[in-house]
Amino acid sequence: MAFRFRRTVKIFPGVRLNLGKRGVSVSAGVRGANVTMGRQGLYGNVGLPGSGLSYREKLLKEGKSGRRSAKAPTTSGQDTALPPVAERIAQVQLNTVSGEIAILDASGADLGNEAMAVAKAYANEALKENLAEQVDAHNRMMEQIGSIHLGTPAPDQFPQFVPEPFVQPEPIRPEPRKLDWKAWLCPARRNAILNSNERRVSEYQRQQLQWQSERENHLRKEGQRAALYQRALQASVAAMELVLDDHLMDIDWPQETSLSFELSADGNVLMLDVDLPEIEDFPKTELRLYQRGIGVSVNELSDTAVRKLYMAHVHGMGFRLIGEGFACAPSVETVVLSGFTQVANAATGRVEDKYLYSVKVKREAWSAIHFGNLDQVDPVEALAAFELRRDMTKTGIFRAIEPWPAEFDPSPA
C-alpha cells in the first residue's frame, strides 16, 4: 500500500478503553474480553489489546444467588475440584460469520467439547453474558457501518480541546508499624520495625517524587496541546495538521482503517487518501442470542443488502472525513478525498491500489449541507453533488477510476 501524502493515521474501531490519550472511556466492543476459570473461580476480563490495560471481575462468587459456585457438585457432603481443563480456559470466541462458539486457552487453541461442557456446567450465566456482549457489539457495529456520517461536524465547528485527565493515583503514605510489647523487650525486634518503617517512608517519598514529576510532565504536555489547538484555530498549517491527526484518533470508527493526508503550504487545500475495506471482507451477518440454551443464530444479509450497506459505508467514510477536514483546518477552502481498496492484479498477482471514487469539495458548497439533519442525508447522493469521479453501477459495483491529482506538490511520503 503506497499512500500519496505525508501524514498517515490509523483509526481504530469502536469506543475503546483509552487511559493514555483521552482520559477514561468505556469500550463498546469486546476486543480483549474473555473469561478465565481456575482454582479461584471464574473471572471476566476486559483489556485493550497491546496496551497492558485490563479489568478483572469475579463472575462466580460463593453464596451468590442465581450463580453456581466455582466448585463441582458435592458428593457425600464433600466438594469435588473443578476438572483440570477448567484451569486452561482463557476466553470465549464467537465466530460472527458462522455463529460457532469456541472455548480457547491462553494461546488461542480450541479446548474442544470438554471445555464447553465445563463452562456450561460451572459458568452458564457468565457464558450467556459474555456472548450477549459480543452479539450486541457486532450488531452495533453493523448499525454504525451504515451511519458513520451522522457524526460529521459543520465546517465552522472547530473541535473543542478536551484536556486529558491525569489518571495515575497519588501514592498513599504508609501507616507506620506500631511497636508492640515484644519490641520493648527485644531491641532487635524494635530496630527491625523502626528500620522497616524508614524503608517504607523512603519508598513512599520516592514514589511521591516520581508521581509529582509525571503529573507536572503531563500538565506541561496538555498545555502544549491546548496551545496547539489555539494555533490551529488561527490557521497555522503545522498546527492544523497536528490537530486533525489528534482529532481523528477520537472518531468512533466501526472498523480499523488507515488514511494519509497533507495540507498545502498556504493551508488552502487538504488532500486525503483513505484505505476503504474490500467488499469481500465486509461483515455480512446479523446475530441473535438463543432465548434458551447457549447459542447464537446468524442471519446472513443478501448480496443486494451487503452492496447497499457497503455503498453507504464507503461513501459515509468519505463524507465524515471531508467534514472533519474542514472543521479542523479553518483556512482550508478545498478538500480532495480519494478512497481506494487493494486488489490483486490478475495478470501479475501483485496487490495494487484500486481507487473507487475521488471527490473535490469547496467549503462554500459544503456549507450548504444541513448538518442538523444528517439522518436525512444519503452520503452516496451527497458526494455526487460535488466534483466526483466515480464509476459505479446502481447495484454498487465499482470500476477503478483515476483519482484527482494533488493540487500542490506533496512532500515525499
Side-chain angles (χ1 to χ4, degrees):
M1 175 176 62
F3 281 115
R4 295 187 295 169
F5 306 113
R6 182 167 51 88
R7 299 189 68 84
T8 302
V9 178
K10 180 163 285 190
I11 305 174
F12 295 96
V15 182
R16 54 203 176 275
L17 182 67
N18 191 336
L19 301 180
K21 184 171 172 59
R22 298 288 177 271
V24 181
S25 59
V26 180
S27 175
V30 291
R31 284 185 72 200
N34 56 68
V35 294
T36 302
M37 183 183 290
R39 290 188 177 91
Q40 303 302 316
L42 184 113
Y43 287 83
N45 310 287
V46 179
L48 179 63
S51 72
L53 301 172
S54 63
Y55 170 74
R56 191 170 193 245
E57 179 181 2
K58 192 169 186 179
L59 300 177
L60 292 185
K61 302 177 182 179
E62 296 290 344
K64 186 171 181 178
S65 61
R67 299 271 181 91
R68 301 180 67 174
S69 78
K71 295 180 179 179
T74 58
T75 303
S76 302
Q78 295 183 347
D79 289 331
T80 304
L82 284 167
V85 71
E87 296 187 15
R88 298 173 58 198
I89 293 176
Q91 54 186 309
V92 180
Q93 181 185 73
L94 172 63
N95 185 319
T96 58
V97 176
S98 66
E100 295 178 353
I101 303 164
I103 307 295
L104 311 180
D105 65 13
S107 65
D110 191 341
L111 295 175
N113 294 334
E114 181 186 2
M116 178 64 75
V118 168
K120 287 181 178 179
Y122 300 104
N124 191 280
E125 290 302 314
L127 262 181
K128 288 182 180 179
E129 291 172 7
N130 185 279
L131 290 172
E133 289 176 2
Q134 297 193 51
V135 167
D136 289 345
H138 176 81
N139 290 340
R140 281 196 302 270
M141 179 196 70
M142 294 297 290
E143 291 177 6
Q144 191 181 12
I145 276 175
S147 59
I148 186 65
H149 71 289
L150 295 181
T152 305
D156 59 352
Q157 188 181 335
F158 185 77
Q160 181 182 5
F161 170 70
V162 179
E164 174 193 345
F166 184 65
V167 296
Q168 184 176 336
E170 184 175 0
I172 299 174
R173 188 179 187 91
E175 290 289 335
R177 290 178 57 191
K178 295 182 179 180
L179 298 175
D180 54 17
W181 64 271
K182 294 180 181 179
W184 294 108
L185 296 178
C186 178
R189 180 179 176 84
R190 182 168 64 251
N191 289 336
I193 292 175
L194 293 175
N195 290 338
S196 173
N197 286 340
E198 288 181 4
R199 287 194 300 271
R200 294 169 68 196
V201 169
S202 177
E203 175 62 17
Y204 161 74
Q205 291 172 340
R206 185 193 66 78
Q207 293 177 356
Q208 181 72 11
L209 287 173
Q210 181 179 352
W211 180 84
Q212 289 175 346
S213 174
E214 292 177 359
R215 182 174 179 273
E216 290 170 1
N217 187 49
H218 170 83
L219 294 175
R220 177 180 56 79
K221 288 182 177 179
E222 287 305 292
Q224 292 173 345
R225 280 187 65 224
L228 177 71
Y229 272 66
Q230 189 60 39
R231 292 199 304 275
L233 190 55
Q234 296 168 355
S236 161
V237 172
M240 287 189 295
E241 284 192 331
L242 289 171
V243 166
L244 181 57
D245 190 325
D246 189 71
H247 185 62
L248 287 175
M249 295 297 292
D250 286 338
I251 294 179
D252 302 335
W253 220 247
Q255 292 186 300
E256 183 177 317
T257 191
S258 297
L259 60 93
S260 69
F261 66 91
E262 188 165 353
L263 272 169
S264 60
D266 59 8
N268 288 338
V269 180
L270 172 64
M271 304 289 299
L272 299 108
D273 267 12
V274 58
D275 185 3
L276 303 171
E278 288 75 45
I279 193 168
E280 292 79 13
D281 301 326
F282 206 62
K284 303 175 176 66
T285 59
E286 296 173 336
L287 307 179
R288 180 177 296 178
L289 202 66
Y290 284 179
Q291 292 186 347
R292 295 182 180 180
I294 300 290
V296 174
S297 61
V298 177
N299 175 36
E300 186 168 347
L301 302 179
S302 67
D303 288 344
T304 301
V306 170
R307 289 197 174 277
K308 183 177 179 180
L309 185 62
Y310 183 74
M311 282 193 295
H313 182 60
V314 297
H315 289 86
M317 290 173 69
F319 188 96
R320 176 70 179 270
L321 289 169
I322 292 168
E324 296 290 351
F326 278 126
C328 291
S331 70
V332 165
E333 292 298 327
T334 304
V335 173
V336 180
L337 179 137
S338 303
F340 68 91
T341 62
Q342 298 166 63
V343 295
N345 186 310
T348 65
R350 293 182 178 275
V351 175
E352 299 176 352
D353 295 338
K354 171 186 174 182
Y355 281 87
L356 304 188
Y357 68 86
S358 185
V359 61
K360 184 187 298 186
V361 184
K362 301 292 185 181
R363 181 180 286 270
E364 183 179 359
W366 185 254
S367 300
I369 295 173
H370 189 341
F371 288 91
N373 199 27
L374 288 178
D375 58 341
Q376 298 300 312
V377 172
D378 179 355
V380 180
E381 297 297 326
L383 294 189
F386 306 104
E387 296 182 67
L388 176 66
R389 292 183 176 182
R390 181 180 67 192
D391 188 353
M392 181 187 74
T393 67
K394 291 182 179 180
T395 57
I397 298 174
F398 290 88
R399 286 180 285 270
I401 57 97
E402 188 68 27
W404 286 104
E407 298 199 356
F408 56 88
D409 257 343
S411 302

